[in-house]
Amino acid sequence: MIPLQSNSETPFPSIIADLLGLDASEPAVLIVLSVVAAGVIATVLLTMTAVLGIWGKRKITAAFTDRIAVNRHGPYGLLIIPADAVRLLSKELIVPSEVDRPAWDLAPLIIASSALLGFAVIPFGHGLQLADPEIGLAYVFAVASIASLGLLMAGYASNNKFSFLGGLRAVAQNLAYEIPLVITGASVVIFAGSLRMSTIVEVQQQTLVSLGGIAIPSWFAFVNPFAFALFLIANLAEVGRNPFDIPEAPTEIVAGYQTEYSSVYFVLIYLGEFIHIFLGGAIIATIFLGGASGPVLPGVVWFFIKMISVYLFTQWARSAVPRVRVDQLIQIGWKGMLVLSFANLVLTAVIVGVAAA
Amino acid sequence: MSLEEPDDPLATRDVGVTEEGVDYDALADLLGDTVIDRESHVNAEGFVVRPDEVQDALFALRDEAGFDHCACVTAQDYDDRYESIYHLRKYDDPTQEVSVVVPSPKSDPVSQTAEPVYRTADWHEREAYDLVGIDYEGHPDMRRILLPETWQGHPLSQDFSGEEPQVVTLREHANPLADDKRSEDDPDTMFINIGPHHPATHGVLHVETVLDGEQIAHVEPDIGYLHRCEEQMCQQGTYRHQIMPYPDRWDYVSAGILNEWAYARAAEDLADIEVPEYAQVIRTMSAEMSRIAAHMLALGTFALDVFGDFTAVFQYAFRDREVVQDLLEDLTGQRLMFNYLRLGGVAWDLPEPREEFFEKTRDFLDDMPEKLKEYHNLVTSNEIFQMRCVDTGILPPEEAKQYGATGPVARGSGIDYDLRRDDPYGYYSELDWDVVTEDGCDNYARVLCRMQEVEQSARIIEQCVDLLEDWPEDERDIQANVPRTLRPDPDTEIYRAVEAAKGELGIYIRSDGTDKPARFKIRSPCFSNLQTLPVMSEGEFVPDMIASLGSLDIVLGEVDR
């Protein structure tokens, strides 16, 4: 069996190289294999988005709201996925007059790609990790927040006042919640002593306590549940789901920054949103839930279970929780979350420092 | 409160109040020279007032005699004159009514505005100007309200010809985007059209909004997109059968029977028809079923506005509304456009087998407390929901009265006004139930009010079912003896209202001796309630305005008629 972690800087391409009997230390080979590996990961993610975004979301929401949802297209309505794909892609791309191009065209690309880029350093388990750089966690946060730029561009370039309001709201929200998100992530780094994703996962494999013969691993969600809760909430705001779906707020500002997008651009924005949710789930799984570890089932399955659980959580919140108001959102962010996350960071640093001493 | 009582102006507002009702002679003395004639309407005396002394008369009636509720302004066109009627009543006791009749000459139909006395007259007079063509002098904003600005002529006036085409080129229509309407002294504001196509306007409502950042600097509802000439259509139908289907289409979200009752009550009082007691009980029961269905929808859509999506609460509310909808379908044969009431009774008796219907109804009532608890768990006790709704959309009681707010909107502002109790009709006075009021004056109070009203409606239905179950079989008269063609005496006028789902739904009818009404005027509760939107939302955030709009629970079919 392939070990959960590998020591390579580029684990997944190296595995492919081993399988094909090629030498991964050769730069040209590494580049080609990296592209192939990235293609594999991206395909898995896009398939996941198609299933969970088009079909799963409907079924989940329906379950929450006493409905049945799609059931006429193939078994369990699964054929809605190709049907919807064709429908969305074959719609006319309407470009409103006086939109600010090319900013208007670039925005959906930025939103979708920034989320995808984050997955480059996510360890899915068994070495299924494109790259494992020293600064893994910092890299994920950095590329994920590029999406804010896309949202602002979309809102500003659309020449629509609802889009404009939505874009401003999106940026205000991302600013207010990205800082607590990163600060809380930093508290994990203090525990783990490293920004490298594989190290963070490894540290969590030690046994925290043994309860009646069952070893509870030291997942950071168990070690520091407070930080876990903070991160979950900040993540909800980061991906813009209830109670923090202010940037879109359908009943207030129509659809926010995405009001004027149709057809392929709309698909890209939606894709970006879903992949962002999955990325949030992947980060949480990696730094709080022990990454790809778990009993019986293979690690990679556990990783996807954890990731999809976070997705389910966002859908649950969406179905059951009212939306906060925009000023309340900012207040919660700057006056509540920021203070709490700094308190958490300082406390963690002190505890870790004392323990080390 | 008791300390302030000596200064309370209400203490002196009792001119004309006697044990038996209003003493109109005392009111005539109060009005003095402004009165030039007196008329007798079925519901109240009418004082004819000179068109340039309207405000004097109304101020006197409001401040001295306590008529603080301008229910409706009816305008009509006679052969020799135009006429505006102000239907006044009291929030404390709506059976005390008086009409102020203002004739204005045919050649120059100008009349003094009542807007400074009753703010609600603003929209009512605009409607009168729009449809009938009376010009109100001193009105702050004399524009058309229901028809487009470019409309030619006044469709309810006698010289209007429906034959001539309305030729208006596209160029003449105002372009809502052309003029950005920023206020001159504050260039930082932004004008935005919320609606007529917007996810949160509950139909085709257009809210012209000026934003200062995210805050609302100015808001003005623009209505008329769903105007379907309901008044005119009712004037073209015969009393006996042809009018009854229309009320279902005013407040069309399953409050149909309540609306039908408004017409039935006005027409029955006009033609002196006694309704058999058995039919009254059935009416009461079915009307309360309609109210539950309407309030469930109000709760669901309000949750939609605050939660932000078609979430669990919306679906649950619709699921529960479906049960009562099924009951109504069993009873009337229809789900929305019931057309169940008839002048003098109802269309048919309870469905056979009766036991099954009673059992279904009882099951529904038995499940009700459990369901309401679920809503309280999910909605009203949710902290974020409270954060959003408590102390937003404030409507002080005095403002509410000025705007003629009624129904849950008024009761959510602590105004104890419910026509089912205060101006009894049907079988309500025989039953044991309470009027719900909440003192919060905010969005939260209005929602709570509706949820508690559902409980009260369930109580009423339960008692009606008990009564109907034990009703002797040979006394089940569902219909009084009403002539096939109804011709009320010429020149009788009546204004009668019932407590519909949204508030006081009133009908004014003037007969001219034919089998069709000469003037049929609908006093829609939503029309008056919607006027309070600027009071509620100016200075607050966009989401608060959306929540206030949801808590007003308007149905555009009733606003625009």
Side-chain angles (χ1 to χ4, degrees), chain A residues 64-67 161-162 164-165 169 242-243 250-252 254 318-328 332, chain B residues 180 191 193 198-200 214 304-309 311-312 315-316 319 382 384 387-388 392 541 543-544:
Chain A
F64 276 118
T65 57
D66 270 5
R67 290 182 292 119
K161 289 169 182 172
F162 289 113
F164 180 61
L165 283 175
R169 281 179 171 200
N242 269 14
T251 51
E252 293 160 23
V254 188
R318 182 179 168 276
S319 297
V321 186
R323 178 197 298 142
V324 295
R325 209 167 53 207
V326 58
D327 62 316
Q328 293 166 343
I332 295 170
Chain B
D180 210 355
F191 175 78
N193 287 305
H198 186 277
E214 277 266 357
L304 169 63
D305 289 341
V306 173
F307 282 62
D309 224 324
T311 54
Q315 299 291 349
Y316 288 2
R319 177 195 66 194
N382 184 312
I384 299 179
M387 241 161 75
R388 282 290 309 276
T392 60
F541 288 90
D544 292 330

Side-chain angles (χ1 to χ4, degrees), chain A residues 8-27:
Chain A
S8 165
E9 282 267 311
T10 52
F12 193 22
S14 307
I15 291 172
I16 300 177
D18 287 350
L19 285 175
L20 299 176
L22 295 168
D23 182 13
S25 55
E26 195 115 354

Side-chain angles (χ1 to χ4, degrees), chain B residues 81 98 166 191 203 225 283 287 345 544-545:
Chain B
R81 65 182 190 279
V98 68
Q166 290 280 332
F191 175 78
Y225 291 88
R283 280 184 177 187
D544 292 330
M545 195 270 275

Side-chain angles (χ1 to χ4, degrees), chain B residues 18-83:
Chain B
T18 61
E19 290 285 307
E20 295 88 51
V22 186
D23 176 6
Y24 290 105
D25 293 329
L27 288 182
D29 290 343
L30 171 71
L31 294 177
D33 289 343
T34 50
V35 177
I36 46 178
D37 195 5
R38 269 173 76 167
E39 284 181 8
S40 193
H41 299 173
V42 179
N43 60 312
E45 290 277 303
F47 294 108
V48 182
V49 169
R50 291 172 52 87
D52 52 354
E53 285 175 340
V54 179
Q55 286 179 13
D56 291 344
L58 292 178
F59 269 126
L61 286 170
R62 191 190 76 180
D63 296 336
E64 313 275 326
F67 287 96
D68 51 356
H69 179 28
C70 178
C72 182
V73 181
T74 304
Q76 49 189 331
D77 184 10
Y78 284 91
D79 290 336
D80 56 342
R81 65 182 190 279
Y82 284 96
E83 191 177 277

Side-chain angles (χ1 to χ4, degrees), chain A residues 143-279:
Chain A
V143 291
S145 54
I146 296 178
S148 309
L149 183 66
L151 302 184
L152 181 68
M153 278 164 73
Y156 207 81
S158 284
N159 188 30
N160 176 318
K161 289 169 182 172
F162 289 113
S163 300
F164 180 61
L165 283 175
L168 292 184
R169 281 179 171 200
V171 172
Q173 169 166 342
N174 281 7
L175 275 183
Y177 284 82
E178 205 125 294
I179 299 172
L181 194 78
V182 174
I183 300 288
T184 315
S187 77
V188 170
V189 175
I190 292 178
F191 267 122
S194 169
L195 281 165
R196 192 192 287 268
M197 294 300 238
S198 59
T199 317
I200 294 175
V201 173
E202 223 170 83
V203 172
Q204 295 182 66
Q205 307 311 319
Q206 295 150 1
T207 307
L208 183 66
V209 280
S210 232
L211 284 179
I214 302 165
I216 307 279
S218 60
W219 293 359
F220 289 125
F222 299 146
V223 177
N224 190 353
F226 179 61
F228 180 58
L230 272 181
F231 200 89
L232 262 187
I233 295 169
N235 183 57
L236 267 185
E238 177 68 16
V239 300
R241 282 291 172 270
N242 269 14
F244 307 116
D245 70 333
I246 305 289
E248 286 168 46
T251 51
E252 293 160 23
I253 50 171
V254 188
Y257 54 85
Q258 49 176 284
T259 305
E260 292 290 4
Y261 285 99
S262 55
S263 186
V264 182
Y265 286 177
F266 174 78
V267 174
L268 277 175
I269 290 184
Y270 241 72
L271 192 75
E273 277 195 6
F274 275 105
I275 295 181
H276 247 281
I277 299 178
F278 295 143
L279 181 63

Side-chain angles (χ1 to χ4, degrees), chain B residues 257-269:
Chain B
I257 290 179
L258 294 156
N259 306 348
E260 288 171 24
W261 207 342
Y263 168 62
R265 188 176 186 212
E268 282 158 5
D269 283 0

